[in-house]
Amino acid sequence: MAKKLYIKTYGCQMNVYDSVRMTDALAPMGYEPVETPEGADMIILNTCHIREKASEKVFSELGKLRKLKESREQQGGEMLIGVAGCVAQAEGEEIVRRAPSVDLVFGPQTYHRLPEMVSRALGDENRGGVIDTDFPVESKFDFLPEESGSQGPTAFLSVQEGCDKFCTFCVVPYTRGAEFSRPVEDIIREARTLAASGTREITLLGQNVNAYHGETSNGKTWGLGRLLLELAEIDGLERLRYTTSHPRDMEDELIQAHKAEKVMPYLHLPVQAGSDRILEMMNRKHTADDYRRVIDKLREARPDLALSGDFIVGFPGESDRDFADTIRLVTDVNYAQAYSFKYSPRPGTPAAGIADQIPEEVKSQRLAMLQELLNAQQVAFNQSCVGKTFNILFDRKGKHEGQLIGRSPFMQSVFAEAPDRLLGNSIDVRIDRALANSLAGTVVTTGIESPAAASA
Ligand code: SAH
Ligand code: SF4
Ligand code: F3S
């Protein structure tokens, strides 16, 4: 009988992709994915360590799962609990100590060893926890089963992992390890598998995706721009995106790739702060004006480009003046949407040790001010879309019967009345209304004849 596997995913898209690949890796052992933890034979929490709140969630979730596990064991059943991802990498030993119900702890670069770890954990001599937080010399991608093509109309594809940039606030270089690019041909093969299984949009993933420099089989090295143009040649693929980028790696070849029709006119390009002093303390290695210049070049290549960003307020030592520089940069750039966070000191990172930490109330005030501005920009952008017709790739059902939801080229969620048969198709939709976080529209042409119409 099939065993039930429940994976709960926190954090970035990279974790979402990894959860898919873990599911594939465990399928040969008879594990099938389920949507709820109740009755599962194995539960994996794929965790995020980026901010304090994100990490804390893991321990509170483990508390709940322990009860589930105990009641299952009382009924004579068995349940394995695994912790994967960045908290596992950063706090492996701590997890086993604080949460004895955890059977497996494994870091982001070890997922290919999962079947073997599970067998060990099921063996009685290993009660008390199997831990694997290595950074193996081999790449997990070479050992994981081939992409199964189960992701649907939109899919993630990891092309790059890890980070060598060491921004002073960030845990990623420690949790994901050194920067690594997958070989070109592996990526193209995976993209073809996805396209053949009905995927129309692929988002290339990497912690520093635009630092991508993959080898081809004849010894050349390709950047992300070249890779995007090659993927654009694959039949069936209609849309390409990539995330997350660093301003320093926004090379001309990549900027020019934005002229390609299949490369969507949306870019997430975090800048974190608008003050050169703070950017330097963050070790971002660029100035606010460098960022402005990159944005200008991008908009020259692709005038309708919608921009997104990440911001941190209250980095140690941030003065009112520094914060005003952030506000000025946001005003200059004009974002279609963005994410903003209060600085969260992370254990082991250089910024956590800076003496001049900013009081919580100041962080909250600054965050509120920044978010007010970013929200106003988002509302204005969404409002400017009303009356326009966008090509929407319907990728899921809406809340209401007869409704489908998809993404606009600019990443907005758009919902419209549409029959289920349009799921997985790109359809022209006229935007009627802008809501806080989505757009409402009407299908203009389906591009697909209904069987009745075709035979008439
Ligand atoms: N590689 C990406 C960011 C990955 S982390 C980049 O270089 O831009 C995602 C976002 O989390 C970051 O962009 C940053 O805004 C935020 N973040 C990271 N560490 C943080 C911390 N210690 N406190 C608050 N926000 C943080
Ligand atoms: Fe973190 Fe900086 Fe690397 Fe992004 S570039 S993952 S913020 S260290
Ligand atoms: Fe979080 Fe790790 Fe991603 S810390 S943001 S899950 S790389």
Side-chain angles (χ1 to χ4, degrees), residues 147-335:
E147 162 66 52
S148 63
S150 60
Q151 293 192 60
T154 61
F156 290 132
L157 200 175
S158 275
V159 302
Q160 181 277 339
E161 273 219 55
C163 180
D164 295 338
K165 292 210 166 56
F166 291 91
C167 300
T168 54
F169 52 82
C170 183
V171 294
V172 171
Y174 311 97
T175 61
R176 292 268 166 180
E179 205 184 289
F180 160 82
S181 294
R182 293 179 68 191
V184 167
E185 274 86 3
D186 287 7
I187 293 164
I188 292 175
R189 181 159 20 90
E190 204 165 307
R192 287 214 178 99
T193 305
L194 288 166
S197 71
T199 293
R200 297 290 158 259
E201 174 180 300
I202 291 183
T203 303
L204 305 180
L205 296 181
Q207 285 313 331
N208 259 277
V209 73
N210 59 340
Y212 178 80
H213 53 280
E215 302 277 310
T216 65
S217 54
N218 55 9
K220 300 228 164 59
T221 303
W222 285 13
L224 191 66
R226 181 80 177 81
L227 181 67
L228 281 167
L229 295 183
E230 190 69 21
L231 293 174
E233 298 293 317
I234 296 177
D235 281 343
L237 278 187
E238 295 168 1
R239 301 166 155 220
L240 294 167
R241 304 180 187 275
Y242 59 95
T243 201
T244 298
S245 298
H246 194 293
R248 254 161 68 202
D249 296 317
M250 216 60 225
E251 283 167 8
D252 281 335
E253 187 184 43
L254 178 57
I255 292 177
Q256 296 310 316
H258 277 269
K259 290 179 173 162
E261 204 190 331
K262 287 188 184 176
V263 177
M264 288 293 102
Y266 169 89
L267 179 64
H268 183 66
L269 192 62
V271 65
Q272 315 298 353
S275 149
D276 290 344
R277 200 176 69 86
I278 297 295
L279 286 169
E280 179 158 1
M281 280 167 51
M282 287 177 162
N283 193 32
R284 294 290 289 183
K285 296 210 170 85
H286 65 79
T287 64
D289 278 347
D290 292 336
Y291 182 80
R292 286 183 177 91
R293 274 192 289 273
V294 169
I295 299 293
D296 288 345
K297 277 202 234 170
L298 279 159
R299 283 184 165 147
E300 215 172 284
R302 186 75 204 227
D304 61 345
L305 187 74
L307 284 158
S308 163
D310 288 343
F311 297 90
I312 295 176
V313 300
F315 184 84
E318 186 187 66
S319 66
D320 285 340
R321 236 167 108 181
D322 293 319
F323 177 65
D325 287 341
T326 298
I327 294 288
R328 197 157 53 86
L329 182 62
V330 171
T331 308
D332 291 348
V333 172
N334 194 12
Y335 290 88

Side-chain angles (χ1 to χ4, degrees), residues 4 80 157 172 380 386 418:
K4 292 180 183 155
L80 283 184
L157 200 175
V172 171
V386 174

Side-chain angles (χ1 to χ4, degrees), residues 19 70 86 88 97 114 127 133 148 181-182 217 242 314 320 324 347 355 403 421 433 437-438 451:
S19 294
E70 281 168 359
C86 292
R97 202 171 46 77
L114 196 46
R127 290 290 121 146
T133 51
S148 63
S181 294
R182 293 179 68 191
S217 54
Y242 59 95
D320 285 340
Q403 211 178 51
R421 69 188 162 80
R433 273 179 307 137
N437 290 305
S438 59

Side-chain angles (χ1 to χ4, degrees), residues 22 44-48 82-89 104-108 111:
M22 281 189 241
I44 297 176
L45 303 182
N46 194 5
T47 62
C48 174
V83 180
C86 292
V87 180
Q89 188 63 45
L104 289 155
V105 177
F106 49 102
Y111 299 155

Side-chain angles (χ1 to χ4, degrees), residues 387-404:
K388 293 184 182 161
T389 296
F390 292 155
N391 195 252
I392 307 301
L393 173 57
F394 285 127
D395 58 7
R396 68 210 135 104
K397 291 186 181 188
K399 256 193 294 207
H400 302 293
E401 189 64 33
Q403 211 178 51
L404 294 181

